[in-house]
């Protein structure tokens, strides 16, 4: 009887605790929501808004150095503290977007491409950009802006594009210039970054000065709000630069070249076909057909779980031992990053004679990773930070001459003309050499 009464007592206490905990969580969530709204709905004349943002920056200053694997490999702790203190002192002089742009600069100064802050607010231009040979081009546009297609951007709101690029680069966490090139298109497409940097005065509209066929013209471009979608001119087919994929992984037999083309875009399992099952299907096909070459396309692979590819590299290694005349190519580019870098090395281990083709990678040879996130307590903006350091150069026997980037054996830089003609010059080289 005592046991029964004691059990009832425990249950009563547990229920009371759960009710209290739920109530506490609800209040905590409500407080966070109220604080965020106080920031978003007020400017620097609000003492409450300024106090909340000061708390955010102080939280960032205290917590990030404790959580990051090594935040002071590029900048010193003193430099970090000085930058955050200077930002705190200017909070009552800056807009929300300016504050987060300045905080973004501090995050980027750490020099870890995996450590970044997200303060995108939903606006985006109905344009897509790419950097060719140091020049910024529009490679896709809403049908209402079709005349801008394939034009070179000269200015944004009368500011020279080179100045715009320099300012945006200060926000991009990177370990090499290839990752800057990979990230710039999305930063150009999102007006909040240029607004926070003072390049544009109105997030909802900007004037782009472009040149096309020797003709210079201004276009006023309205930004889309969150949930709105552009009706892009090019909305079908693969991207001839990085492989605009429909799946995390896929394969295709190119019979004219007796080539198995394996596109590996994301290091993760698909819900409808786990990678081991896909891999078995692909290698069953390889062994049942005449294959002279295997191409692994990593140009879109920005990472995920590096262990996912293991079944492929095991089968590939065994297959190459038994079929020594089969050639292997690895396609890489500026978007090859993080676990995409692991994939390069693991393929090279399985097929040491594999030839890499493309651009220098956005991922570094040795880099930080294993990202976790924290939210700033009041604005709730998220910051991703690295918890581990990976040394590809020591983990694998294969060595590369790149400094801060993987240099392909065959370097090929696509041009705007290649893109216009939908010519995949990197894949074409691999198929014919």
């Amino acid at each position: 009887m005592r046991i029964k009464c004691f059990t009832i007592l425990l249950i009563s206490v547990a229920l009371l605790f759960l009710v209290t905990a739920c109530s506490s969580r609800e209040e905590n969530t409500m407080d966070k929501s109220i604080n965020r709204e106080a920031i978003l709905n007020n400017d620097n004349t609000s003492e409450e808004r300024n106090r909340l943002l000061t708390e955010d920056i102080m939280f960032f200053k205290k917590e990030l150095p404790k959580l990051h694997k090594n935040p002071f490999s590029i900048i010193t702790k003193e430099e970090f503290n000085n930058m955050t203190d200077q930002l705190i002192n200017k909070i009552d002089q800056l807009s929300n977007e300016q504050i987060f742009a300045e905080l973004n600069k501090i995050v980027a100064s750490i020099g870890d491409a995996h450590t970044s802050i997200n303060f995108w607010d939903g606006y985006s231009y109905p344009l897509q950009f790419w950097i060719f040979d140091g020049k910024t081009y529009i490679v896709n546009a809403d049908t209402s802006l079709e005349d801008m297609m394939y034009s070179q951007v000269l200015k944004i709101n009368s500011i020279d594009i080179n100045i715009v690029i320099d300012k945006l680069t200060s926000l991009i966490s990177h370990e090499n210039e290839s990752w800057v090139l990979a990230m710039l298109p999305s930063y150009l497409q999102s007006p909040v970054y240029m607004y926070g940097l003072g390049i544009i005065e109105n997030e909802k509209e900007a004037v782009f000065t472009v040149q096309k066929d020797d003709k210079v013209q201004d276009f006023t471009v309205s930004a889309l709000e969150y949930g709105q979608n552009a009706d892009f001119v090019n909305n079908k087919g693969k991207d001839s630069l990085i492989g605009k994929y429909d799946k995390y992984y896929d394969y295709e037999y190119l019979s004219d070249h007796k080539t198995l083309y394996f596109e590996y875009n994301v290091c993760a399992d698909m819900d409808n076909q786990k990678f081991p099952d896909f891999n078995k299907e692909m290698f069953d096909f390889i062994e049942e057909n005449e294959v002279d070459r295997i191409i692994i396309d990593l140009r879109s692979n920005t990472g995920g779980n590096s262990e996912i590819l293991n079944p492929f590299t095991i089968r590939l290694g065994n297959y190459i031992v038994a079929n020594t005349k089969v050639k292997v190519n690895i396609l890489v580019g500026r978007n090859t990053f993080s676990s995409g870098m692991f994939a390069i090395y693991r393929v090279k281990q399985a097929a040491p004679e594999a030839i890499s083709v493309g651009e220098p990678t956005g991922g570094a040879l040795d880099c930080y990773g294993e990202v976790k996130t924290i939210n700033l307590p009041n604005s709730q903006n998220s910051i991703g930070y690295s918890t581990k350091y990976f040394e590809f150069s020591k983990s694998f026997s294969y060595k590369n001459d790149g400094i801060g980037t993987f240099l392909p054996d065959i370097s090929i830089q696509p041009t705007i003309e290649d893109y216009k003609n939908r010519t995949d010059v990197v894949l074409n080289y691999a198929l014919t050499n």
Side-chain angles (χ1 to χ4, degrees), residues 83-119:
M83 286 187 285
T84 51
D85 288 343
Q86 288 173 18
L87 178 55
I88 289 171
N89 291 335
K90 294 191 296 184
I91 281 177
D92 61 355
Q93 305 166 38
L94 303 175
S95 68
N96 293 334
E97 292 81 5
Q98 288 173 321
I99 287 170
F100 290 116
E102 292 302 313
L103 185 60
N104 193 334
K105 289 180 185 179
I106 299 172
V107 173
S109 71
I110 292 172
D112 167 18
H114 282 84
T115 295
S116 59
I117 180 172
N118 176 24
F119 68 100

Side-chain angles (χ1 to χ4, degrees), residues 221-267:
V221 179
S222 297
L224 301 173
E225 295 185 11
Y226 182 77
Q228 290 184 306
N229 296 312
D231 179 19
F232 283 116
V233 175
N234 287 337
N235 57 12
K236 295 180 180 179
K238 291 188 175 183
D239 192 312
S240 60
L241 295 169
I242 60 171
K244 185 178 180 182
Y245 58 85
D246 297 319
K247 300 178 180 179
Y248 287 179
Y249 35 81
D250 203 358
Y251 75 89
E252 181 180 358
Y253 182 59
L254 307 177
S255 56
D256 290 348
H257 299 277
K258 297 179 182 178
T259 294
L260 191 288
Y261 171 77
F262 167 37
E263 189 175 24
Y264 186 50
N265 300 310
V266 181
C267 304

